[in-house]
Structure formats: structure tokens, C-alpha cells
Amino acid sequence: MHELLTNMVHKRLQVYPLHSSVTLEEQNNVFLSPVPGYRKVILSTNIAESSVTVPDVKYVIDFCLTRTLVCDEDTNYQSLRLSWASKTSCDQRKGRAGRVSKGYCYRLIHKDFWDSSIPDHVIPEMLRCPSGSTILKAKLLDMGEPRALLAAALSPPSLSDMERTILLLKEVGALAVSGQRGDENPYDGELTFLGRVLAQLPVNQQLGKLIVLGHVFGCLDECLIIAASLSLKNFFVMPFRQHLDGYRNKVDFCGNSKSDCAALVEAFRAWQTCRQRGELRHPKDELDWGRLNYIQIKRIREVAELYEELKTRISQFNMYVDSRRPVMDQEYTYKQRFILQVVLAGAFYPNYFTFGHPDEEMAVRELAGKDPKTTIVLKHVPPYGFLYYKQLQSLFRQCGQVRSIVFDGAKAFVEFSRNPTERLKTLPAVYMAIKMSQLKVSLELSVHSAEEIEGKVQGGAVSKLRNTRVNVDFQKQTVDPVQVSCNTLDRSQMITDLFLTIDVTEVVEVGHFWGYRIDEKSSEILKKLTAEISRLKLVPLPVHPHPDLVCLAPFADFDKESYFRAQILYVSGNSAEVFFVDYGNRAHVALDVLMEIPCQFLELPFQALEFKICKMRPSARCLVCGEHWSGRASRRFSSLVSGRALLVKVFSVVHGVLHVDAYLSSALQDAVNVRDVLVKEGYAELAEEPYESKQSHEVLKGLFSKSAEYVTDMSVPSALRDDKKYLIRILLESFSSNKLGNPNCKAILHGPFNPYELRCHSLTRISKFRRVRIEKESINSVIVSDSPEDVHQRMLVAASLSVDATGSTMLLRETSLMPHIPGLPALLSMLFAPVMELRVDRDGKCYTGVLCGLGWNPTTGAPLLPEHDMELAFDVQFSVEDAIEINILRAAINKLVCDGPNGSMCLGPERITQLQDNARQKLLGLFCPLKPREKIVPKWHEKPYEWNQVDLKLVMEQADRESSRGKNTFLYQLHKLIVLSS
């Protein structure tokens, strides 16, 4: 729509959109006087009906429509539905015109329709939306059943709506779940401590629960910030035409947490810190800071006010933000981040989502051997697309540095530069490029028609290039036909044996390192190269140093400084960080000592090799206590391999990286496998290799079992290649010298795409087959799989859900992507579900899955809230001990959120801190076992979503001693366990 509006300027119209999502600055534009000779047009939603008055409006054109907040009958999720506005609303709109002169209102409906079909008044919100907070306030009055009290309202809600709201309050924990009792009242329930807190907070029930769980697990401050932020309009701004920059800024705030809620916390704290330092004393400074960080200052101030109010309100329940500095260990920040993610999952239960698995084989074919972590695909590329490579490069300049583009018929593969010392993760540039596609950013090229090109160049001989794969390398500044060769050989030309002896020079992360071969032949090549460089007359760089530039840089070894081939990683001030491409290590050097490298030295392959230990992934403990690997794991791995010779056995070569087994000895018979050491010590666990790695492994086995002649027949005949290279050069010269004239056609490219992009689906019964969409402002609106070979389910949690008017599509807001810990979806569901029923195999020897929900009614046999039930099949082995640990943790939570003489209100600060530390330790112990849970093949229960499928003789009650003394008003009842046969 915005594109259409901006194109209306030539029609002498100044068009301004006015809705709740536009920024405050954009809203203020509607008050500007139009340029003389232009007419001001405001396209507004209901926001202008009563909230905004623009003085110079003369005409109102009313469609008599409105979007009304209603509750979906099936899911109870809220949605905005298009409906006819009431007559009172239309009269309110009519009043927008004629504030300073005579005004007119045109209603675009027939007069008879107005009289007969337009309602006089809007339906009261009590009848349209959930009445949870109203029922909680009625419970606080302790005047009997809420339905009796609310029946006295002018427009009382229906009994069915009240019954459903009671069930939802039991699900959230505001009313107690007393277990499967036939006499349980569907219209009432015992008020819990959580319910009392929720009734006093000006936020919705789930955000109130977030605050209480934050208190339990010692992250109250973060949860207060999140609750205040989500209760008001989002203070992150993504202006029109700057949406990509706004998205990048939000991603920067969230760090590696992949959580919108974490981004809110970090942005709020950054603003708070700047104010405390006195950097934002003047309003202009604060507004400038807001523009720079894509944050609306007025809205973040409103969040700060609500944050302070919430702190005051919860203090009456003996909940305080701990002002003492935590005992800082190196892993505290990461543990705190993980605990916050678990708390978010607990508060927003059952808004749980998981992902489908990409088809690796199909994805590899679609990418034609390119690295998915650095490459995106474009389609509908015009013939001779390589002529327009500069246009294409400029389209993606805002995403990242383009390293190369391969043109293959109507496809183009755009590859971004990767720092050699970065982790093997999908580049941010790939995410930004996919985001462009999601935002429908137009990728338009100015091109010549194929017929015109073939008619003007070389008498049509260039038509041979129509289906030729052409590679544009921006590093080497070359445009060449792609040599068709076995992909595995790209990096393995220097590998003549599957066993290599190497010197490790740079550790990137656990299992990922650089080094160089130290066999006699390789050492001779390096000595000869160093000697030739030392004889050169060095010349300063002819261009300003920039990332990816290959040059000569000095390195001091044993007090002797020599020059070596190096690639610039980044430039900062008067120095640069360089990567020595023949050895694999880094150094900081001054810019003025960098020298030009002669062309002949660029032709020799780089001697440094990149290694990744195969069949290994971080353990759950490492994922929780670090970015990807914990600090302890990194130090242990470095102590094992740094600065020493290793024997490596090559398993495969994938996109230039050697996947290997590494041994701590030069002799294989008494060697120690590095992976075995890390697994034994709990830092790593065994994992599958990707499809490409397995494919490469088979090719390598074939290569080393046959003669070297097998390799030579893989390339295109040199005469044919030279002919195509000549035609490409002629065509490029004709294009650059404008012999083809000005481009007279437009080509719209489709994409960008990445075949490893993930789509999510709901875990709840009612929404399992609904289409799911993540709002475009969310950090997780683009998710690309880094490890498609890992079959363990990943999990996404959404703070709020809504459905479209048809109920077929769900929109997720404020999402958090959980760490990739095996079995995590099942663990979180069991931990935070009101009731669960474990599934066992036919022999009764092991658990195969779980049904989570609100339970069932023994009298009728029907589930209490079937639409929110979740059936999960385990992909790791859970034992009776795991189920007991879950109950112990639930009991630990109850101790901090309970009523009575020993309840939360009576606890002192030291006792609260002690209980919080205990809950945190139990939580970390549950999710980070010393020994990884065994991987199993998921087995779905033969009667999914059916309760009461277990023999009562095998059910073991876990009664809480405290609850047996009085009313059961705990937040979580203890789960019933099932005894397994030995």
C-alpha cells in the first residue's frame, strides 16, 4: 500500500496513512498543511474516530466498516474481524469534518441499508472478549460463584462463556485444579495465590503469571520489563522504507537469544543506562538516541512508568526486585538467559510451536552445491543475467558483502562473504536477504532483451552463453564460465591421503579450528613461497584496505618478521585484523605496513585448512552455559589441541571445510580421539552428520580407492571453456561501452529464497493443522535451520496469538526460539501443564510420550479443555527419575507461590533467596543432565488425545503434604506417575 501511496505525488495528492502501527512522527504528518496546489488525503482506521482530531478536514468518506476485537469461538484467541460499524460510531466519524469550516460526510452504503441493517450500538465488550480479570475480581469479593454476581450486570455474559473463562483461569493457574474429581464445579474454583496477584495487576493473566514465575526463578526485573512492554504499544519502530534497518537493530539487541522479549529487555536497559550516565539529559539527545536505535522515546517512557507501578503493586505480595549484585560467574549471564526463556515458556503455556524438517536432499539439489549458510537463491533471472551483476550486487548491499554470484539459467546464487574465523552458522546477511523477500522489497533490474543482445554482438554467436553457468567473483574481480567439477574436490585438491598430520594455529570454537599440513611436501611448498615473497620488492597497497582484500602482511615469529599472504577481516581506524591464508592464524597490523600482492601469488591455492570435528554437537549443559559451547568446553578443547600437532582422518569435505576425526597422537594405534574425550567429560554428545557430509564421504571413499585418473575427466574441455570465456569478455565489453544502448526492459526477480528456511506449526490440538504466520516485526519471522540433520524437535513460544477472520491462519507475536536441546518441547510441556498423562509402550517398560492439558472429567469421560490438549511423542528416553524431578521442581515453585501461615507473604528475604536458588538449581539440573538422554525413534500413541488410557493399578499418586492439610490452592498439582515394569 505504501508503494501505491508514494506514487500518487504526481497526481497532486499528499496521502497519509493513519493507523496504530505507524510511528508517532508519521502520525504527526497528518496535521501538516498541504503544499499549495495539493490536496491532503488521510486514509485512516478507527483510530481517527475518537482519538485524533485533524482541524482542516472538510470531507469524510465513510465505508461504515470497522474492525472489532472478538474472541474466536473455537480457540478463544482474539482476532480483529471486519464488520459493520454502529450508527453511533458512524456519527462520531461524521464529526471529524467541518471543524473550521463547513464539512460534508459521504457514507458509501444505500440509505435503506443504513436504516435496516446498520446496528444502533456496538455489542458490549463483556460479550465479545474474555472476562478473566472480571471473574478474578469477583472471586476476591468472596460473594459466592462469579456467575451469580455477574448475572446482575446490564449485559451479563453467557453461561458457556463463563464456563470457558473458568477453565482458562484454571489452565493459567489463577484458579486451582483439584484433580479429576466428578464433583468439580465448572463455574467456580478455589482462588490461588497467583489468582490474587493477577486480580491486582493491570496486565493480562499470562503477563501476570510471567511476573510471578520471574519472582520464583530470580529473574523478576526482566519479567517486569517484558510485562510492561507487552502491555503497551511496542516501543520498537520499523518505519516505512527502513523496515530492514529496524529489524537488524532489533536482532542486534536480542543478541543470540532469538527472543523478541529478550530484545525488549536489552533495549530498555540500554535506555536506562544511558539516562543514568547523564547522556540523555536534553530531550533532543534522547530523541536522537531513539532514532539511532529505532526506538520511540514516548512509548519507552510509558513502559518505564508501568514498570515502576508494577514494582509497587507486587511489593504488597512480598515480591521485590533483588538490588544486590549476583555472585558473578562466567556462566551466570547465559544461565540467566536460559532461565528467562524457560519462564517465558511457563507463562505463555500452551502457546507452543514446533517446526517441520527440511528435505536435505532436495535442498542440496536446489542450491546446486552452494553453501546454504552463506547463499540465497533468486529466480526469474533474465537471459545473460551476468551482464547485470553490478545491479544485483547493489540490491543486496544493505544485507552484507557479496562475495560471488553464480548465474545458472533463470537462477542466480548470491553468496555472501564469511569471515574465516566465524562460527559455521547461517550468516546474518542470509537472514536479511530472506527478510527482503518477506517485506516484498522489489528486486528490479534494467535489462536488454535476449534477442537484442544476440542481434548486436558477434553475429549471434553469444547465444551459446544462454545456458552457460557463469561465476562472478567479486574478490578476484573475474567473470568466468563455471568449471563443472565434483564439488568435493574444491578444497581437497591438496589432500592426497585421508590421514593428515597438521599443526593447529587458530581455534574458532569447540570442534572448529584452522591449521596447516606439516608433512614434507607441504612444508617445502610453504618454505618456497616464503622465500619468494622475501625476495620481492614490496609495494604499498594501491587501494584503501577493505574486508576480503588479499594482500601481504607482516608476522613476527622468533623475533624475525616476515611477510605472508593474508586476507583482511576488518578495518578499524589505522589498523586491521588479518587472516594468514597459508597458516590459519590472525593478527592485528597497522594499515601502512600492508603491501600489494603480485598476481602470480594469488593463483597458488591457500595452504591453510579449515577443520570441523565430525559427528559431534554441544551437550545441553554447553548450550545453556554459553553462546553455543560453554566457556569451560572452549577452554578444555583449546587445552587439548592448541599449538600442537594432530593426526586427523578426513571424513568428508563440505563447502571447503574438512570434517574430520582428530587424534592426540601422530601414531593411530595409541591415539586418543578428541571427540571421545569431550563426550566422556560431558561437553559434547554424538550427532548425525549432514546429508552433504555423508554424500562427500562416499565420494572420497571412491576417490581414494581408485587411481588419480578418475579425477581428471571431471572438468569441461579447456578449448570449449576458453571459447565461452572469450564470448563473455566480448559481451561484457559491449555492455560496458554502451554498444547495446540503454536497457529498455524491466526484469522482476523472485526471491530471495533459502531451502532450509523453517515453517512452524502448533502443538495444541485445535490449531495443529492451522496455517501459522509469525508477524513480520518479530526477530523469528525468518528462521533458517543450521543443523537440518538434527531430527530433534525445536520449539518456539509466542507471547500472544490471534487468528484471521476465517480462523484458518494464526498470527504469532513476540516470539522466543528455545535452545536446541533434545527433548525440550516435551520437558517444558510436562513441567508447566496443569495435568499430564504419560504414555507407555505395550510392554509397559518405557515411556513413549505424554498427553498434556487440563485433564478429564471422570463422570462424563470428556476432556475438560480439549482444544488446548497437546499430544507429544518422545524423541529422547525419559525415565521415572525424570518425572520425579519434574514433580520436585513443581513443588519448589509452589513453595514460593502459596497462601497460608507458611505462604509467600510470611517469608523473609533470606528464605526467599534460598528457595529461589533451590528452584534455579532444580531447573538447571532437569534440563542439563550430566549424561545426555538417549535418542529414540518417536512412537505415537494409538489413541491420541484420549485421557484415562492407563491401568489405575500402575498409577502412583504424588501427594503434596502441604496440600493435604487444607484447600488445594497451589499453582501446580503434582503429576501422577506411572510405574514401569522392569
Side-chain angles (χ1 to χ4, degrees):
M1 184 188 78
H2 283 290
E3 288 287 346
L4 294 172
L5 299 186
T6 51
N7 292 334
M8 283 188 166
V9 177
H10 67 279
K11 296 182 180 179
R12 305 186 76 77
L13 296 175
Q14 286 182 279
V15 185
Y16 299 102
L18 183 60
H19 50 86
S20 60
S21 299
V22 300
T23 66
L24 296 173
E25 289 81 0
E26 289 172 312
Q27 283 185 25
N28 289 333
N29 288 340
V30 302
F31 299 105
L32 299 174
S33 298
V35 175
Y38 281 72
R39 182 183 292 277
K40 179 164 71 175
V41 179
I42 301 170
L43 293 179
S44 177
T45 58
N46 306 13
I47 192 173
E49 191 174 294
S50 56
S51 306
V52 180
T53 298
V54 183
D56 54 355
V57 171
K58 192 167 184 178
Y59 303 97
V60 168
I61 300 172
D62 186 8
F63 289 89
C64 298
L65 292 167
T66 186
R67 285 194 181 274
T68 311
L69 189 67
V70 296
C71 239
D72 183 72
E73 294 173 3
D74 293 328
T75 61
N76 208 53
Y77 300 142
Q78 293 184 350
S79 64
L80 285 169
R81 297 212 181 151
L82 196 65
S83 59
W84 293 110
S86 66
K87 285 176 179 160
T88 51
S89 294
C90 292
D91 288 340
Q92 188 79 19
R93 297 174 187 181
K94 177 183 173 182
R96 301 304 95 197
R99 304 303 250 188
V100 294
S101 64
K102 191 175 181 181
Y104 302 88
C105 177
Y106 298 94
R107 294 190 177 118
L108 302 186
I109 56 172
H110 198 276
K111 193 172 188 308
D112 291 342
F113 187 81
W114 169 269
D115 293 333
S116 62
S117 300
I118 297 293
D120 291 329
H121 303 284
V122 70
I123 299 170
E125 191 168 321
M126 184 180 276
L127 301 181
R128 289 187 284 111
C129 299
S131 50
S133 58
T134 308
I135 288 176
L136 286 179
K137 285 181 170 59
K139 286 294 297 178
L140 279 179
L141 296 173
D142 199 17
M143 294 172 62
E145 287 187 11
R147 63 174 173 175
L149 193 62
L150 294 178
L154 291 174
S155 303
S158 66
L159 281 177
S160 61
D161 288 343
M162 285 197 59
E163 183 180 359
R164 185 177 183 80
T165 304
I166 292 288
L167 289 174
L168 292 173
L169 288 172
K170 288 180 178 179
E171 182 182 63
V172 86
L175 299 178
V177 178
S178 56
Q180 280 71 50
R181 288 215 316 254
D183 60 342
E184 187 162 348
N185 189 344
Y187 301 107
D188 201 1
E190 289 293 336
L191 195 66
T192 63
F193 175 82
L194 174 63
R196 296 182 193 282
V197 176
L198 297 185
Q200 299 295 333
L201 296 182
V203 296
N204 71 36
Q205 281 85 39
Q206 287 187 313
L207 294 179
K209 186 177 181 181
L210 174 69
I211 292 170
V212 173
L213 288 177
H215 163 67
V216 170
F217 290 107
C219 52
L220 179 57
D221 191 50
E222 292 94 329
C223 292
L224 284 169
I225 295 169
I226 293 166
S229 301
L230 297 186
S231 298
L232 301 168
K233 288 214 174 283
N234 199 325
F235 57 69
F236 279 115
V237 58
M238 302 210 178
F240 172 52
R241 293 193 183 283
Q242 292 178 281
H243 198 112
L244 201 65
D245 292 329
Y247 175 78
R248 182 187 284 109
N249 172 77
K250 192 174 180 182
V251 170
D252 289 342
F253 271 120
C254 91
N256 287 310
S257 63
K258 297 286 186 182
S259 169
D260 292 315
C261 296
L264 291 168
V265 172
E266 291 306 316
F268 185 82
R269 284 180 169 170
W271 173 73
Q272 271 187 328
T273 303
C274 288
R275 292 189 75 188
Q276 288 164 3
R277 288 178 186 160
E279 296 173 12
L280 308 178
R281 277 185 207 144
H282 302 293
K284 183 181 179 301
D285 295 336
E286 195 170 22
L287 287 171
D288 289 343
W289 183 90
R291 287 192 197 96
L292 181 67
N293 292 283
Y294 294 88
I295 288 171
Q296 298 189 74
I297 297 301
K298 183 180 177 183
R299 288 182 180 165
I300 203 170
R301 283 177 179 166
E302 291 170 354
V303 169
E305 288 176 16
L306 181 55
Y307 165 78
E308 294 298 334
E309 183 187 345
L310 290 172
K311 270 209 295 191
T312 304
R313 292 209 185 199
I314 62 171
S315 63
Q316 63 184 298
F317 295 100
N318 202 20
M319 288 189 276
Y320 300 92
V321 173
D322 193 352
S323 57
R324 295 173 303 168
R325 290 181 64 84
V327 179
M328 290 295 287
D329 63 65
Q330 292 180 328
E331 296 174 346
Y332 174 82
T333 304
Y334 304 113
K335 289 176 182 174
Q336 187 75 352
R337 183 180 69 187
F338 174 72
I339 288 170
L340 178 60
Q341 288 174 312
V342 173
V343 166
L344 289 168
F348 301 133
Y349 173 92
N351 299 348
Y352 293 175
F353 299 83
T354 188
F355 302 91
H357 295 292
D359 187 324
E360 283 192 87
E361 189 173 351
M362 289 293 292
V364 169
R365 286 180 190 169
E366 190 168 346
L367 282 166
K370 305 296 286 182
D371 187 352
K373 295 181 174 65
T374 61
T375 309
I376 49 97
V377 185
L378 292 167
K379 296 179 181 177
H380 292 197
V381 176
Y384 309 102
F386 59 87
L387 291 176
Y388 320 109
Y389 68 86
K390 288 183 179 177
Q391 288 186 58
L392 203 52
Q393 183 191 27
S394 67
L395 289 175
F396 293 103
R397 192 161 282 139
Q398 58 184 326
C399 299
Q401 183 82 25
V402 178
R403 181 173 182 238
S404 69
I405 305 176
V406 174
F407 294 88
D408 185 6
K411 276 186 181 181
F413 303 94
V414 180
E415 184 178 14
F416 295 99
S417 292
R418 178 172 75 87
N419 185 319
T421 57
E422 282 179 336
R423 295 188 304 161
L424 296 170
K425 290 288 177 185
T426 302
L427 290 181
V430 171
Y431 277 87
M432 293 301 155
I434 297 171
K435 188 68 184 174
M436 286 174 64
S437 174
Q438 195 181 80
L439 295 173
K440 296 182 170 56
V441 174
S442 179
L443 299 178
E444 187 177 271
L445 299 179
S446 298
V447 302
H448 298 276
S449 68
E451 293 73 18
E452 182 185 7
I453 293 171
E454 291 166 3
K456 291 183 178 180
V457 182
Q458 285 283 307
V462 292
S463 60
K464 296 177 184 177
L465 300 177
R466 269 218 186 196
N467 298 315
T468 300
R469 294 186 80 199
V470 177
N471 178 43
V472 179
D473 191 317
F474 292 96
Q475 264 184 336
K476 298 178 182 176
Q477 298 183 338
T478 58
V479 183
D480 291 320
V482 176
Q483 184 169 346
V484 181
S485 63
C486 178
N487 182 51
T488 307
L489 303 179
D490 292 346
R491 191 78 181 192
S492 61
Q493 290 170 357
M494 294 178 287
I495 301 171
T496 54
D497 192 357
L498 289 178
F499 287 93
L500 310 174
T501 307
I502 63 158
D503 199 339
V504 177
T505 51
E506 184 84 27
V507 173
V508 180
E509 65 170 358
V510 177
H512 180 201
F513 55 96
W514 283 83
Y516 63 96
R517 294 183 61 178
I518 54 175
D519 57 83
E520 188 176 335
K521 183 179 177 182
S522 300
S523 299
E524 190 63 37
I525 291 172
L526 287 172
K527 282 180 186 175
K528 186 177 178 182
L529 181 60
T530 305
E532 288 181 12
I533 291 173
S534 65
R535 287 196 292 267
L536 288 173
K537 184 179 179 181
L538 299 178
V539 179
L541 287 174
V543 295
H544 191 272
H546 59 81
D548 285 346
L549 180 69
V550 178
C551 58
L552 294 174
F555 183 79
D557 192 14
F558 301 112
D559 296 327
K560 179 186 176 185
E561 187 176 83
S562 304
Y563 272 82
F564 302 92
R565 296 191 298 177
Q567 180 183 350
I568 296 175
L569 299 181
Y570 65 84
V571 178
S572 177
N574 295 320
S575 66
E577 185 175 28
V578 298
F579 175 78
F580 293 99
V581 296
D582 292 313
Y583 293 90
N585 56 317
R586 291 179 289 175
H588 281 277
V589 297
L591 294 183
D592 55 6
V593 300
L594 296 176
M595 299 295 167
E596 183 181 9
I597 185 168
C599 293
Q600 67 267 26
F601 287 97
L602 284 173
E603 294 172 2
L604 183 70
F606 298 155
Q607 299 298 302
L609 295 171
E610 187 174 9
F611 300 92
K612 180 181 182 295
I613 292 181
C614 62
K615 303 176 186 175
M616 183 179 80
R617 55 162 284 156
S619 65
R621 185 173 294 272
C622 273
L623 285 170
V624 167
C625 298
E627 290 294 355
H628 188 58
W629 295 88
S630 67
R632 291 180 188 177
S634 299
R635 290 190 293 274
R636 178 60 175 140
F637 180 72
S638 293
S639 71
L640 286 170
V641 304
S642 289
R644 66 183 297 171
L646 289 181
L647 176 67
V648 300
K649 181 183 179 183
V650 180
F651 178 83
S652 63
V653 185
V654 182
H655 307 299
V657 181
L658 277 67
H659 291 225
V660 298
D661 281 295
Y663 299 94
L664 298 176
S665 174
S666 56
L668 190 59
Q669 58 270 18
D670 57 353
V672 177
N673 191 315
V674 173
R675 181 181 58 239
D676 293 345
V677 173
L678 295 173
V679 169
K680 184 179 179 182
E681 295 179 4
Y683 296 117
E685 56 187 73
L686 297 176
E688 286 287 319
E689 276 293 280
Y691 170 79
E692 285 181 286
S693 179
K694 293 175 181 176
Q695 193 181 42
S696 167
H697 178 67
E698 294 303 316
V699 173
L700 278 180
K701 281 201 303 186
L703 286 176
F704 286 104
S705 63
K706 297 179 182 180
S707 66
E709 292 166 8
Y710 175 84
V711 180
T712 57
D713 296 331
M714 299 297 291
S715 59
V716 175
S718 59
L720 180 60
R721 191 166 180 271
D722 290 343
D723 180 40
K724 288 185 176 180
K725 195 169 182 178
Y726 167 75
L727 289 173
I728 288 171
R729 183 169 58 82
I730 294 295
L731 194 49
L732 286 169
E733 287 174 358
S734 301
F735 181 74
S736 59
S737 61
N738 210 24
K739 288 180 183 176
L740 298 175
N742 293 323
N744 53 9
C745 301
K746 296 289 182 185
I748 306 295
L749 306 182
H750 284 215
F753 308 100
N754 186 296
Y756 290 98
E757 193 176 351
L758 297 178
R759 300 282 183 270
C760 64
H761 57 84
S762 176
L763 285 176
T764 56
R765 182 179 188 177
I766 190 70
S767 304
K768 199 168 184 69
F769 300 108
R770 276 184 167 87
R771 186 168 170 262
V772 174
R773 196 163 55 86
I774 302 172
E775 71 168 348
K776 65 182 182 193
E777 286 80 13
S778 172
I779 286 162
N780 297 308
S781 55
V782 178
I783 305 176
V784 180
S785 175
D786 282 322
S787 50
E789 73 281 358
D790 195 336
V791 295
H792 294 295
Q793 285 190 324
R794 290 213 70 172
M795 184 175 173
L796 186 83
V797 175
S800 64
L801 312 176
S802 61
V803 292
D804 63 358
T806 63
S808 61
T809 302
M810 301 174 67
L811 180 66
L812 316 187
R813 293 186 175 87
E814 309 303 337
T815 61
S816 298
L817 184 64
M818 296 290 118
H820 201 175
I821 296 173
L824 186 72
L827 271 176
L828 288 173
S829 302
M830 290 189 287
L831 176 58
F832 294 114
V835 180
M836 79 169 188
E837 183 176 300
L838 288 162
R839 307 300 201 188
V840 294
D841 64 352
R842 290 187 177 181
D843 298 328
K845 292 184 177 180
C846 66
Y847 299 133
T848 60
V850 67
L851 175 60
C852 297
L854 203 54
W856 54 286
N857 187 322
T859 305
T860 63
L864 294 175
L865 193 61
E867 52 267 40
H868 285 185
D869 286 348
M870 292 190 290
E871 180 83 45
L872 295 102
F874 294 153
D875 56 8
V876 294
Q877 187 71 62
F878 288 106
S879 64
V880 176
E881 287 74 22
D882 290 313
I884 292 171
E885 285 297 317
I886 288 170
N887 272 343
I888 291 172
L889 181 51
R890 286 166 75 96
I893 296 171
N894 288 338
K895 286 178 182 177
L896 277 156
V897 285
C898 61
D899 287 318
N902 299 318
S904 303
M905 303 284 282
C906 307
L907 298 176
E910 290 185 4
R911 179 58 177 158
I912 287 175
T913 302
Q914 184 184 14
L915 291 173
Q916 286 173 337
D917 289 342
N918 178 56
R920 288 166 66 91
Q921 291 306 317
K922 296 291 183 190
L923 185 147
L924 292 171
L926 176 66
F927 288 96
C928 309
L930 291 173
K931 185 180 178 183
R933 293 183 174 92
E934 184 184 343
K935 175 184 170 183
I936 60 172
V937 178
K939 295 178 183 176
W940 289 97
H941 193 258
E942 56 190 12
K943 293 182 179 179
Y945 301 107
E946 287 197 24
W947 293 87
N948 195 24
Q949 297 296 302
V950 183
D951 187 347
L952 291 176
K953 295 175 185 176
L954 301 177
V955 175
M956 182 171 56
E957 289 277 0
Q958 292 280 298
D960 198 318
R961 285 176 297 176
E962 297 292 330
S963 66
S964 61
R965 296 175 188 172
K967 293 180 179 178
N968 177 13
T969 57
F970 285 115
L971 176 55
Y972 293 114
Q973 69 169 27
L974 299 188
H975 292 313
K976 295 176 181 177
L977 304 185
I978 298 173
V979 179
L980 296 175
S981 58
S982 55

